[in-house]
Amino acid sequence: MPPGLGTAVAILAGAALILGFVLLDRRASAPVLPALTYRRGNALKWIYLTLGIASAGAMLEVFLPRFGQQIAGLPELPAGLLGATVSVGWSFVQIFSVSIESDRGRRRAMVLGPVLMVLGFGAYALLQFACAGTGAVWGWAAALVLAGSGIGLAFPHLSVAALRSAATPEESAKAAAGVSLAQLISNAVCSALIGVLVALGSALGSADPTATAASAAATSAAVMGAGVAALALVGVGTALRATRSGRSGSTLSPAQPLGSAR
């Protein structure tokens, strides 16, 4: 169903619920997220936001096989493999990313990851056109692997930074537990947003009387890719905030936790 007033109302209601959750949780005696998340001067909130945005990059995988079949006419197996490209890039790069040991290298990885997501998902959006051939499909795959590589590059260091953002073992345990919760919240919110982007793109593509099923699907895929790229661009900003304390002299080591970003 094309997005309309009902969709807009649902989005606003969802945003209000999230805001309400934050306002209530920060005042709760036993908050769902660690109390550090809401403490002024602590970087944990920016770490969680960046983690959530990185996790959201994988949410569009569910639509990739569909677009591969509708736009490029891929058979079921190649279309399914296209749907795994983001995870392939994520998993492969993360194997090497975890070996980064220097604080400067970790901070750079945390920022470069979202940058690669912007480039990868942006390229995927730009490569959408009706009746795409084999070359375009390989371009999609390369762009999506690049985006997944950004997730794999940043993700392990964001998780460690969350744990090290606390000054005591008890706070560190709560901060680490909050990583999974931040991912779950992000997955729920961003999967819904990506669904809206797909529906919006389909409505835009079908508005042209001369549009074909393939061209409408291409518009839908382009809107989805551009929307996730825009979200990743926000992630670049949150990553910079999360690493600001590192640039001012602190480290990501347990002895000097990340904690001066606002």
Side-chain angles (χ1 to χ4, degrees):
M1 184 176 68
L5 179 60
T7 301
V9 171
I11 291 174
L12 291 175
L17 288 172
I18 294 172
L19 179 60
F21 164 76
V22 170
L23 293 176
L24 290 173
D25 196 47
R26 70 185 300 176
R27 291 173 172 80
S29 56
V32 176
L33 290 172
L36 286 171
T37 309
Y38 309 109
R39 186 175 300 170
R40 184 176 178 82
N42 190 280
L44 188 57
K45 55 182 165 293
W46 304 115
I47 295 170
Y48 282 163
L49 284 170
T50 310
L51 271 168
I53 290 171
S55 300
M59 292 296 99
L60 56 66
E61 283 188 321
V62 67
F63 295 102
L64 297 177
R66 169 195 171 190
F67 288 134
Q69 290 181 299
Q70 292 182 338
I71 302 171
L74 293 178
E76 287 80 359
L77 179 58
L81 293 175
L82 181 66
T85 46
V86 175
S87 294
V88 168
W90 181 343
S91 302
F92 181 76
V93 171
Q94 186 164 273
I95 294 173
F96 302 97
S97 177
V98 295
S99 64
I100 300 174
E101 297 181 354
S102 70
D103 293 336
R104 177 176 294 181
R106 291 170 181 167
R107 291 192 293 269
R108 287 178 175 174
M110 288 164 61
V111 176
L112 181 58
V115 171
L116 294 180
M117 291 176 62
V118 173
L119 296 176
F121 290 128
Y124 173 78
L126 292 173
L127 289 172
Q128 299 303 319
F129 50 89
C131 301
T134 303
V137 173
W138 281 109
W140 298 347
L144 292 168
V145 168
L146 178 64
S149 298
I151 302 173
L153 181 64
F155 206 88
H157 304 296
L158 289 165
S159 300
V160 172
L163 187 149
R164 293 176 175 174
S165 65
T168 67
E170 292 77 12
E171 289 177 331
S172 293
K174 292 179 182 179
V179 170
S180 296
L181 183 58
Q183 285 183 259
L184 289 173
I185 294 173
S186 170
N187 290 347
V189 173
C190 293
S191 59
L193 288 177
I194 290 172
V196 171
L197 289 172
V198 170
L200 176 62
S202 180
L204 292 174
S206 302
D208 185 353
T210 63
T212 63
S215 64
T219 302
S220 184
V223 170
M224 179 188 71
V228 179
L231 184 62
L233 186 60
V234 175
V236 175
T238 58
L240 288 170
R241 295 297 297 269
T243 58
R244 175 176 293 179
S245 58
R247 294 197 301 274
S248 65
S250 66
T251 77
L252 297 180
S253 65
Q256 297 182 352
L258 207 111
S260 65
R262 287 189 293 162

